[in-house]
Amino acid sequence: MTDLSTSPRISVVVPVKNEALNILPLVEEIEQACAVLAPFEVVYVDDGSTDDTGQQVLSARATRPWLRLMRHEASCGQSAAVRTGVHAARAPVVVTLDGDGQNDPAFIPQLVAALDDPAVALAAGQRVGRKDGAYKKWQSRIANGVRDRILKDGTRDTGCGLKAFRRDVYLRLPYFDALHRFMPALIKREGFQIAHVDVVDRPRHAGRSNYGMFDRLWVGILDLAGVWWLIRRRRRVPAAQEIV
């Protein structure tokens, strides 16, 4: 068990919007998966839900002092919710996963272990056996193929919510909507390596998706062009030291 007076080893950030029915089952799974990583904390970010998502998190927190809740007064999107959670996180390593239950928390220890290599700043989950419909998978395949051809980030599935990364490196990245889907390319831009971990996709526990998908290529084309520009404009960072 971990409380807020203990410095956590990892912070698990979960962005949610109208996921009341999925809160407790996922919290229980995260608790079980992270037991080997204690001390840990879990930061839920309620992105302007109109159901009792926030109340469900507070109820779960009654017996879990490591569970925290941040809330947006109005929905600002998944990237903004992730950013809020990372800023609130107290650990040097952050793990993110979607709040609908499709991401299996059992893979968290494997993702965190991939960061033992100091050259690696991001361990990205790569979904296998995806449970999305055929049309959505087709959209994702095209978008990921175009993105990889342009950015050459070596990642076949940037839409997977399961990621582990170094908090300080994330905070160096330029913030924009859909940042979480361009993290591999931007992390490489900072001079770090990416580790990829195959994770098993699952059906959501309950409800329906509440966030629009970047999988529609035409929605993200301007972001893609912007990230391509940022990569091309990257210049060598000088190694500096003070002379005493």
Side-chain angles (χ1 to χ4, degrees):
M1 295 293 289
T2 308
D3 60 38
L4 294 181
S5 66
T6 303
S7 296
R9 176 184 175 190
I10 66 165
S11 297
V12 180
V13 172
V14 188
V16 285
K17 179 182 177 183
N18 295 336
E19 296 284 5
L21 296 178
N22 294 315
I23 299 300
L24 185 56
L26 187 57
V27 166
E28 291 174 344
E29 288 187 317
I30 294 172
E31 181 175 19
Q32 182 177 0
C34 290
V36 297
L37 300 172
F40 64 89
E41 67 176 1
V42 180
V43 183
Y44 265 77
V45 182
D46 180 1
D47 185 32
S49 295
T50 55
D51 65 0
D52 63 342
T53 289
Q55 186 56 51
Q56 289 298 315
V57 177
L58 292 176
S59 296
R61 192 176 69 178
T63 56
R64 298 173 175 88
W66 40 261
L67 183 58
R68 301 168 60 194
L69 174 64
M70 307 292 293
R71 176 172 169 80
H72 292 169
E73 289 299 322
S75 179
C76 298
Q78 189 172 5
S79 283
V82 169
R83 182 175 173 83
T84 293
V86 174
H87 272 279
R90 299 183 300 129
V93 171
V94 174
V95 176
T96 61
L97 71 161
D98 294 339
D100 57 12
Q102 285 194 262
N103 297 152
D104 189 344
F107 292 97
I108 291 177
Q110 190 176 351
L111 289 165
V112 172
L115 297 180
D116 287 344
D117 183 344
V120 174
L122 168 66
Q126 305 277 267
R127 290 169 290 186
V128 296
R130 289 187 63 177
K131 303 305 180 184
D132 295 321
Y135 180 59
K136 190 173 179 180
K137 287 189 285 188
W138 174 79
Q139 287 181 315
S140 181
R141 191 177 302 115
I142 292 177
N144 279 310
V146 173
R147 189 210 69 256
D148 188 47
R149 183 179 295 269
I150 293 174
L151 302 183
K152 298 178 173 56
D153 59 14
T155 302
R156 64 172 172 80
D157 178 19
T158 61
C160 180
L162 262 172
K163 296 180 175 71
F165 50 87
R166 303 186 190 281
R167 180 176 181 270
D168 61 334
V169 176
Y170 173 92
L171 293 175
R172 297 183 203 174
L173 305 181
Y175 173 69
F176 56 93
D177 195 27
L179 165 62
H180 61 290
R181 297 182 183 276
F182 290 99
M183 282 183 64
L186 293 172
I187 292 286
K188 289 182 70 175
R189 178 179 182 266
E190 294 297 319
F192 293 93
Q193 297 177 15
I194 312 299
H196 298 98
V197 177
D198 284 345
V199 299
V200 178
D201 198 34
R202 310 185 296 185
R204 64 166 30 248
H205 286 314
R208 60 180 180 82
S209 176
N210 293 287
Y211 285 117
M213 296 298 295
F214 167 81
D215 292 343
R216 301 179 181 89
L217 177 59
W218 51 89
V219 174
I221 197 68
L222 291 178
D223 290 332
L224 182 62
V227 173
W228 175 82
W229 181 86
L230 284 171
I231 291 172
R232 287 181 60 86
R233 297 297 297 170
R234 176 66 171 175
R235 292 294 180 263
R236 182 178 178 182
V237 178
Q241 61 180 351
E242 183 177 359
I243 307 300
V244 179

